[in-house]
Amino acid sequence: RKEVEQDPGPFNVPEGATVAFNCTYSNSASQSFFWYRQDCRKEPKLLMSVYSSGNEDGRFTAQLNRASQYISLLIRDSKLSDSATYLCVVGLTNTGNQFYFGTGTSLTVIP
Amino acid sequence: SQTIHQWPATLVQPVGSPLSLECTVEGTSNPNLYWYRQAAGRGLQLLFYSVGIGQISSEVPQNLSASRPQDRQFILSSKKLLLSDSGFYLCAWRVQQGNSPLHFGNGTRLTVT
């Protein structure tokens, strides 16, 4: 079983739509959770950390469910510039330097 | 603010040739440093990480090696490249304490021919 699993998509949504991505992780000892954005042929860039109480940054909302071991990312009012691959990342940071990456979910926002 | 520099951006090398990729971090001290590889259409694979000068942990046995000669410098090397070494190589850093995120360099796209 993979440490982190994501639906690869692709998700094709119209501008202005709301889209949600989910990610599940297998290690219950995981302590840190992140969403990264990766544009084609570019490096991953941190979109937001995910906190236990959930957190919001503008049009982006992240949620963590430790009991079910999943993380979600909600994008409201999608923009063309949101088109990218979104990576779910889970860390075991107090026992070492293990970060587990999902393979990413591809999003294309259509005019 | 902290910045991370990685070079070269692209590289085409023949099979059997050596490799040296360099990464430097500015604006922070004693960072954790990482080398990842991303093969086409696949997730990121951790190759090496370092928690201090001269301290290297290898995650995947292969023909690559890493060194950290200075606090903010991380080098990825190979004596003889294989075709399977082609990929997108990413250097990253993070603060040692707490649940801090990784910050990636721009990456090196390596093609072994």
Side-chain angles (χ1 to χ4, degrees):
Chain A
R1 183 182 174 186
K2 291 182 180 178
E3 295 282 348
V4 177
E5 298 206 54
Q6 288 183 254
D7 179 349
F11 284 67
N12 299 315
V13 302
E15 268 186 293
T18 296
V19 61
F21 306 138
N22 290 324
C23 164
T24 58
Y25 61 94
S26 60
N27 193 326
S28 60
S30 301
Q31 302 143 313
S32 54
F33 309 89
F34 310 95
W35 283 102
Y36 282 74
R37 170 197 170 121
Q38 186 172 24
D39 292 292
C40 187
R41 300 179 69 82
K42 297 287 188 179
E43 78 277 19
K45 292 185 178 178
L46 179 67
L47 179 65
M48 57 198 306
S49 301
V50 187
Y51 303 116
S52 297
S53 55
N55 47 299
E56 186 174 307
D57 182 2
R59 298 181 292 109
F60 300 86
T61 300
Q63 296 279 351
L64 168 63
N65 185 319
R66 285 187 183 271
S68 301
Q69 295 182 201
Y70 81 78
I71 310 153
S72 65
L73 176 68
L74 183 78
I75 306 176
R76 293 182 299 278
D77 187 23
S78 298
K79 311 291 185 191
L80 295 177
S81 57
D82 293 334
S83 298
T85 296
Y86 291 83
L87 303 176
C88 172
V89 182
V90 173
L92 283 166
T93 38
N94 77 335
T95 56
N97 284 277
Q98 291 294 343
F99 287 84
Y100 298 100
F101 288 77
T103 52
T105 299
S106 174
L107 171 68
T108 301
V109 180
I110 305 164
Chain B
S1 63
Q2 301 89 0
T3 55
I4 178 169
H5 302 279
Q6 187 181 342
W7 66 94
T10 58
L11 193 58
V12 180
Q13 292 283 97
V15 168
S17 64
L19 173 74
S20 181
L21 302 181
E22 190 162 340
C23 171
T24 58
V25 180
E26 296 177 357
T28 187
S29 296
N30 200 28
N32 283 358
L33 297 172
Y34 305 77
W35 279 110
Y36 284 88
R37 177 170 62 199
Q38 187 175 37
R42 302 181 71 177
L44 272 74
Q45 178 188 35
L46 177 63
L47 302 175
F48 301 94
Y49 71 88
S50 172
V51 299
I53 296 173
Q55 301 179 60
I56 309 294
S57 295
S58 174
E59 291 298 308
V60 182
Q62 54 211 320
N63 67 320
L64 299 172
S65 62
S67 62
R68 185 170 178 174
Q70 300 180 45
D71 181 45
R72 290 170 288 176
Q73 183 185 28
F74 206 23
I75 298 171
L76 181 69
S77 304
S78 174
K79 292 182 179 177
K80 287 186 177 182
L81 285 168
L82 307 171
L83 285 174
S84 58
D85 291 325
S86 294
F88 190 38
Y89 288 81
L90 292 155
C91 181
W93 74 274
R94 65 182 284 266
V95 173
Q96 284 207 7
Q97 294 79 24
N99 296 328
S100 55
L102 292 166
H103 302 279
F104 289 91
N106 291 342
T108 296
R109 195 161 299 279
L110 171 66
T111 303
V112 182
T113 60

